Amino acid sequence: MADAPVHADAAVPEGLLTAFRAYETALMADDVAALDALFAAGPATLRGDAAGLLVGHEAIAAFRRGRGGAPAREIAAVHVRVLGPDLATVVAELRPVAGGHGLQTQTWRRGPAGWQVLAAHVSGAAPAVDGRVWRVVGTPLVAGAAEGPLRGRGVAVKDLFAIAGQRIGAGVPAHLAEAPVESSTASAVQVLLDAGAEVTGIARTDELAYSIAGANPHYGTPPNARVPGALPGGSSSGPASAVALGQAAIGLATDTAGSVRVPASYQGLWGLRTTRGRIARDGLVPLAPSFDTVGWLTRERAVLAACSRVSGRGAPAAAAPDVFAVDPGLLDGLDADVADVFRARVARLTPEAVDPGDVAEALEAFRVVQAAEAWAEHGAWLTAHPKAVSGAVAERIRAAAGIDADEAARARDALDGARERFAAALEGAVLLLPSTAAPAPRSTAPADEVDRARSATLRLTCIAAILGAPALSAPLLEVGGAPLGLCLVGPRDSDDALVHLAASLG
Amino acid sequence: MADAPVHADAAVPEGLLTAFRAYETALMADDVAALDALFAAGPATLRGDAAGLLVGHEAIAAFRRGRGGAPAREIAAVHVRVLGPDLATVVAELRPVAGGHGLQTQTWRRGPAGWQVLAAHVSGAAPAVDGRVWRVVGTPLVAGAAEGPLRGRGVAVKDLFAIAGQRIGAGVPAHLAEAPVESSTASAVQVLLDAGAEVTGIARTDELAYSIAGANPHYGTPPNARVPGALPGGSSSGPASAVALGQAAIGLATDTAGSVRVPASYQGLWGLRTTRGRIARDGLVPLAPSFDTVGWLTRERAVLAACSRVSGRGAPAAAAPDVFAVDPGLLDGLDADVADVFRARVARLTPEAVDPGDVAEALEAFRVVQAAEAWAEHGAWLTAHPKAVSGAVAERIRAAAGIDADEAARARDALDGARERFAAALEGAVLLLPSTAAPAPRSTAPADEVDRARSATLRLTCIAAILGAPALSAPLLEVGGAPLGLCLVGPRDSDDALVHLAASLG
């Protein structure tokens, strides 16, 4: 940087370039304390990049602590626009060591603490593809029909579906390494192609889709496009981030225990978990077949409606009841701010109170059955590949391995009872609830915090999973500036009707 | 935007938000005059984005005239940092209508012309993949050997080489539409994989590789990563831009009349056109087999050296002469600034003057033979697909169709004579010349200007093509702030030696 030419439109105030260079040196050394000292204190300081804008010194400092250093770079040129004796805008042309170019704009002011940055905006070099979100991408990867209601819409296909000529990775490198090239395309993909959509690419999933966090230790955690630094939600993390980032119009995904609804909620998207059995599941890696179902994530409600309509063609169409219901017991377990936002939003729908009984007990039975089925599907392979999955997913798999037939049978009985109770309580109504117990946790949150968030959310999401019912997550709530889904659970085969009904809630 | 919340750290100076909104309205209407008026006049005004930094009101205005409007967007929030009664930084969180998010930072100052922008930095939403550069990308698309001198290096493969499981597009959509899925991988690709490299993706080429401009009317022109708004150079445009953008370490490409050397020169890369016949050409769509040869583009000389070494294994190794030569006649035809920069750079190498005779005549014979061979390769298909290629390539193809056997035979004779003359004149020396006649033309340059640049450059590049000799483009010259390659032409099979020799020129 010593050599970088400096272009200034007036005499550069004393000390500015020294401070600028000190910042650059600290950045390359990841000297967080020095960086913090060179940014103005207080809530008005700004720092933005492709991931979003951080507001306030505290948020910026927290980001730096979690980042682990910036990519190595050189400064090709510096442009100073002198705004006054103590004020300047400094624009630096960056040359990342890994190639490409970048740009950094900073507003500097001299105050009692010396020269400090008030606002910074950084653009780095873009990768060929964001490997946290995608495994493979084309322009398109698979072309669709020339005409149809989804004409030209790009689809991010969760890496669980077969696409002719491609492998299935299921979020696990060891799985991908052994996967054969598929000779045919899953029906759920093909029906979108036939409707004019195209496959943009294959997007990431949590390992074996057995998580709702959205993290993946092998490929990196996809960014939450709405909340910088937050988890994207999973297991349909890649499709959700791709859609929220504007890189695809449709995320084709699956939902076993919330894998469509959770990322929809965390990233402000429309998401539909379909009626179980409504959409063909050929060419799809299962997790727990009693609960697995296909779903979509979109930015536009009309696109979701078209996905549901073309994919459900030939299946029965049930109406959505014109009565809304809420379960006050479910809300009691939520943070007050979430419950308040939810209650305020649904008040004008004058929902009835319903009592589907003890959800915690039903959830426990659900977890046991899900685990037993996941082990039946993947146990042999995971035994042969003991290090293939990691972290929380590995723990769940280990627990699943210990479930015996009696325990599974008892859980199935309990689940049958819960299903009857839920169905009776919800008959003739559309259940309203938050899609997740809270907005997205920070991606740096400790494991126990993520696990608590998971448990609190599964209490909500398991109801539709146990019923095999359709559940729509609508991006209609906001808590502390972060999106949160409003969930509608309807009778079986009311998929299209639910999406239609939601139009009136906007 | 009327609804976008405004967060300010002090009372917002009068008129600032009105000017900010006027700018946004003008941007969405592509009202270039209004936009120009809202940016401060003069050479110090700055405007940067992912493509690079524009300096001066004139450059910014020219960019706007050529852009055809900005992507539609909404403003989600506005943050104002008040710097004085007449100064502010305004940061806007953007919501592109096509999804994702963006950020805009502007420094505003109030002067005699009212509020105006002094510096602007815009980040838009990134696409899943830049379709101007790539056709398909993976993480990786094809894995390589676990060990080897190119371990972990990503390769951008020009869309002319076979990769098992993929089609060949050759820069022409109609070609791609009919292309079969390849069952095996071209040797030139495989040898890199065997050396530990991985295929990142398949990158764009000019139509049928029959151009050196780098434009492609079907997929968009890849960006020049070093000169915002300039042509990337072709026909290996996609591999070159991918490497210059840091999205791949190696561009695997071809060079018939300059297709490696021109994009290397225009984007400041290392590029090697190999000795013709040295590297196997199986699985490669030909253009003019008498001249076609494989080559690579890299940011690092050492990586290029490794590509040449592993790919040329088993071929003879010739030494590079320790005498440099220049052809004063070639330099006479160049712009004075290019010739001056070149002469100054090579002076310390004390090159000998050589005279290979009339290059213009040789070039004419080269063009005829190249055209006749291109027609022999592609004529039947192009006759059946008369609209498959366009613009300058279509014109060249039409001309090629009119070349009869006698004319081709006469040109071959002339070429044989030129080859003998060139070889005799250059024996025992490494010829030094600029890789291209000038830095990259603007991507909005009219067709006749691009054609003049082509002719002037072919006069330089045809020498190695006629000789079948290796030619290295080294990123060692700069003209008016833009990169220009220094080209070294050596004896046949001196490929490795030329790359080694260039280390001493840095």
Side-chain angles (χ1 to χ4, degrees):
Chain A
M1 189 183 57
D3 301 315
V6 175
H7 309 283
D9 60 344
V12 178
E14 200 193 323
L16 172 60
L17 289 174
T18 305
F20 173 82
R21 289 184 181 125
Y23 180 85
E24 190 64 18
T25 302
L27 187 70
M28 290 301 96
D30 198 28
D31 180 347
V32 172
L35 294 169
D36 285 352
L38 284 161
F39 263 54
T45 303
L46 303 171
R47 192 255 171 220
D49 64 13
L53 183 68
L54 300 171
V55 181
H57 190 277
E58 206 173 305
I60 297 166
F63 157 75
R64 285 206 190 96
R65 284 193 302 273
R67 171 168 60 170
R73 67 190 199 186
E74 287 168 6
I75 300 216
V78 180
H79 303 262
V80 182
R81 294 298 161 261
V82 179
L83 308 175
D86 301 311
L87 273 175
T89 292
V90 180
V91 177
E93 296 182 75
L94 311 176
R95 289 271 167 80
V97 170
H101 51 80
L103 196 66
Q104 173 185 278
T105 297
Q106 298 167 323
T107 301
W108 289 83
R109 180 160 62 187
R110 179 159 49 187
W115 283 102
Q116 290 183 311
V117 175
L118 302 183
H121 181 165
V122 190
S123 302
V129 61
D130 187 342
R132 301 170 302 172
V133 175
W134 299 98
R135 177 161 67 78
V136 58
V137 169
T139 58
L141 190 65
V142 186
E147 294 297 331
L150 294 173
R151 186 156 75 95
R153 305 280 185 179
V155 184
V157 177
K158 190 176 184 178
D159 195 2
L160 293 177
F161 291 86
I163 296 175
Q166 304 288 339
R167 300 168 201 275
I168 301 179
V172 179
H175 188 285
L176 180 65
E178 296 181 4
V181 173
E182 299 293 326
S183 57
S184 59
T185 295
S187 301
V189 176
Q190 191 61 50
V191 69
L192 300 179
L193 294 171
D194 293 345
E198 60 187 33
V199 173
T200 298
I202 299 173
R204 300 296 183 190
T205 169
D206 292 44
E207 294 164 290
L208 302 173
Y210 202 178
S211 170
I212 56 173
N216 189 303
H218 309 291
Y219 307 117
T221 296
N224 184 315
R226 285 289 299 280
V227 187
L231 285 168
S235 65
S236 309
S237 55
S241 293
V243 171
L245 290 166
Q247 299 184 346
I250 298 164
L252 172 60
T254 59
D255 188 313
T256 301
S259 285
V260 162
R261 293 163 283 166
V262 174
S265 182
Y266 286 180
Q267 297 198 57
L269 297 172
W270 292 90
L272 179 65
R273 171 199 161 87
T274 58
T275 301
R276 201 182 73 81
R278 182 176 178 83
I279 311 297
R281 282 177 294 155
D282 59 278
L284 179 52
V285 173
L287 173 59
S290 293
F291 312 107
D292 293 348
T293 181
V294 169
W296 310 275
L297 295 133
T298 66
R299 292 186 303 276
E300 297 173 44
R301 196 194 57 80
V303 175
L304 183 61
C307 289
S308 178
R309 199 170 61 244
V310 303
S311 301
R313 201 164 280 159
D322 57 2
V323 174
F324 291 104
V326 297
D327 172 3
L330 276 184
L331 301 183
D332 286 347
L334 297 175
D335 289 345
D337 53 349
V338 173
D340 289 350
V341 163
F342 171 78
R343 283 199 191 93
R345 187 68 181 71
V346 304
R348 73 168 173 87
L349 304 174
T350 58
E352 292 179 0
V354 291
D355 180 10
D358 187 346
V359 175
E361 190 185 274
L363 171 57
E364 191 41 42
F366 170 80
R367 291 172 96 152
V368 170
V369 175
Q370 182 191 22
E373 294 194 0
W375 186 254
E377 289 295 338
H378 298 297
W381 188 85
L382 287 164
T383 303
H385 301 78
K387 306 211 168 206
V389 298
S390 57
V393 174
E395 274 178 43
R396 280 196 274 288
I397 291 290
R398 270 195 294 278
I403 295 169
D404 66 22
D406 282 357
E407 187 182 358
R410 280 195 305 276
R412 281 194 193 278
D413 286 347
L415 218 49
D416 287 345
R419 188 177 297 112
E420 278 178 36
R421 260 192 351 259
F422 290 0
L426 300 178
E427 192 171 1
V430 170
L431 178 68
L432 299 173
L433 70 171
S435 299
T436 53
R442 309 277 319 158
S443 54
T444 51
D448 60 338
E449 188 181 322
V450 173
D451 195 56
R452 277 198 302 278
R454 169 183 162 85
S455 294
T457 286
L458 285 177
R459 216 171 127 255
L460 306 175
T461 56
C462 77
I463 296 173
I466 291 170
L467 285 167
L472 174 70
S473 184
L476 299 175
L477 306 177
E478 194 175 295
V479 175
L484 188 78
L486 173 63
C487 189
L488 290 73
V489 179
R492 289 183 58 84
D493 290 316
S494 67
D495 303 56
D496 290 353
L498 280 184
V499 182
H500 183 74
L501 176 63
S504 64
L505 306 181
Chain B
M1 187 183 59
D3 301 315
V6 175
H7 309 283
D9 60 344
V12 179
E14 200 192 326
L16 173 61
L17 289 174
T18 304
F20 173 82
R21 290 185 181 122
Y23 180 84
E24 190 64 18
T25 302
L27 187 71
M28 290 300 96
D30 198 27
D31 180 346
V32 172
L35 294 170
D36 285 351
L38 284 161
F39 263 55
T45 303
L46 303 171
R47 192 256 173 220
D49 63 15
L53 182 68
L54 301 172
V55 180
H57 190 277
E58 207 172 302
I60 298 167
F63 157 76
R64 287 207 188 93
R65 283 193 303 274
R67 171 166 63 170
R73 67 191 199 184
E74 288 168 5
I75 300 219
V78 180
H79 303 262
V80 183
R81 295 297 162 262
V82 180
L83 307 175
D86 300 311
L87 273 175
T89 292
V90 180
V91 178
E93 296 181 76
L94 311 176
R95 289 272 167 79
V97 170
H101 50 79
L103 196 65
Q104 173 185 277
T105 297
Q106 298 167 323
T107 301
W108 288 83
R109 180 160 64 187
R110 179 160 47 188
W115 284 101
Q116 289 183 313
V117 174
L118 301 184
H121 181 165
V122 190
S123 303
V129 62
D130 186 340
R132 301 169 301 173
V133 176
W134 299 97
R135 178 161 68 76
V136 58
V137 169
T139 58
L141 190 65
V142 186
E147 294 298 331
L150 293 173
R151 185 158 76 96
R153 305 280 185 180
V155 184
V157 178
K158 189 175 184 178
D159 196 1
L160 292 178
F161 291 87
I163 296 175
Q166 305 287 339
R167 301 167 201 275
I168 301 179
V172 179
H175 188 284
L176 180 64
E178 295 181 4
V181 173
E182 298 294 326
S183 57
S184 59
T185 296
S187 301
V189 177
Q190 191 61 49
V191 70
L192 299 179
L193 294 171
D194 293 344
E198 58 186 35
V199 173
T200 299
I202 299 172
R204 299 298 183 190
T205 169
D206 293 43
E207 296 164 290
L208 301 175
Y210 202 0
S211 170
I212 55 172
N216 188 305
H218 310 290
Y219 306 117
T221 296
N224 184 315
R226 284 291 298 282
V227 187
L231 284 169
S235 65
S236 309
S237 56
S241 293
V243 171
L245 289 166
Q247 300 185 345
I250 299 163
L252 173 61
T254 59
D255 187 312
T256 301
S259 286
V260 162
R261 293 163 283 166
V262 175
S265 182
Y266 286 180
Q267 298 198 55
L269 298 173
W270 292 90
L272 179 65
R273 169 198 162 87
T274 59
T275 301
R276 201 182 74 81
R278 182 176 178 82
I279 311 296
R281 282 178 293 154
D282 58 279
L284 179 51
V285 172
L287 172 59
S290 293
F291 313 106
D292 294 347
T293 181
V294 170
W296 310 276
L297 295 135
T298 66
R299 293 186 302 277
E300 297 173 45
R301 196 194 57 81
V303 175
L304 183 62
C307 290
S308 178
R309 200 170 59 242
V310 303
S311 301
R313 200 164 280 160
D322 57 2
V323 173
F324 291 104
V326 297
D327 173 2
L330 274 184
L331 301 182
D332 286 346
L334 298 175
D335 289 347
D337 52 349
V338 173
D340 289 349
V341 163
F342 171 78
R343 284 200 191 92
R345 187 68 181 72
V346 304
R348 72 167 173 87
L349 304 174
T350 57
E352 293 178 359
V354 291
D355 179 11
D358 188 345
V359 175
E361 190 185 274
L363 171 58
E364 192 42 41
F366 170 80
R367 291 173 98 152
V368 170
V369 175
Q370 181 191 23
E373 294 194 2
W375 185 254
E377 289 295 338
H378 298 297
W381 188 84
L382 286 163
T383 303
H385 301 77
K387 306 209 168 210
V389 298
S390 56
V393 174
E395 272 177 47
R396 278 195 274 287
I397 291 290
R398 269 194 296 276
I403 295 169
D404 66 22
D406 282 356
E407 186 182 358
R410 278 196 305 275
R412 279 191 195 281
D413 287 346
L415 218 48
D416 288 344
R419 187 178 299 114
E420 277 178 38
R421 259 194 350 259
F422 290 180
L426 300 178
E427 191 171 1
V430 170
L431 178 67
L432 299 173
L433 68 172
S435 301
T436 54
R442 311 276 320 157
S443 54
T444 50
D448 61 338
E449 187 181 323
V450 174
D451 196 55
R452 275 197 304 278
R454 170 183 162 85
S455 294
T457 286
L458 285 177
R459 214 171 128 258
L460 306 175
T461 56
C462 76
I463 296 173
I466 291 169
L467 285 167
L472 174 70
S473 183
L476 297 176
L477 306 178
E478 193 176 293
V479 175
L484 188 78
L486 173 64
C487 190
L488 289 74
V489 179
R492 287 184 60 85
D493 290 315
S494 67
D495 303 56
D496 291 351
L498 278 185
V499 182
H500 182 73
L501 175 64
S504 65
L505 305 181

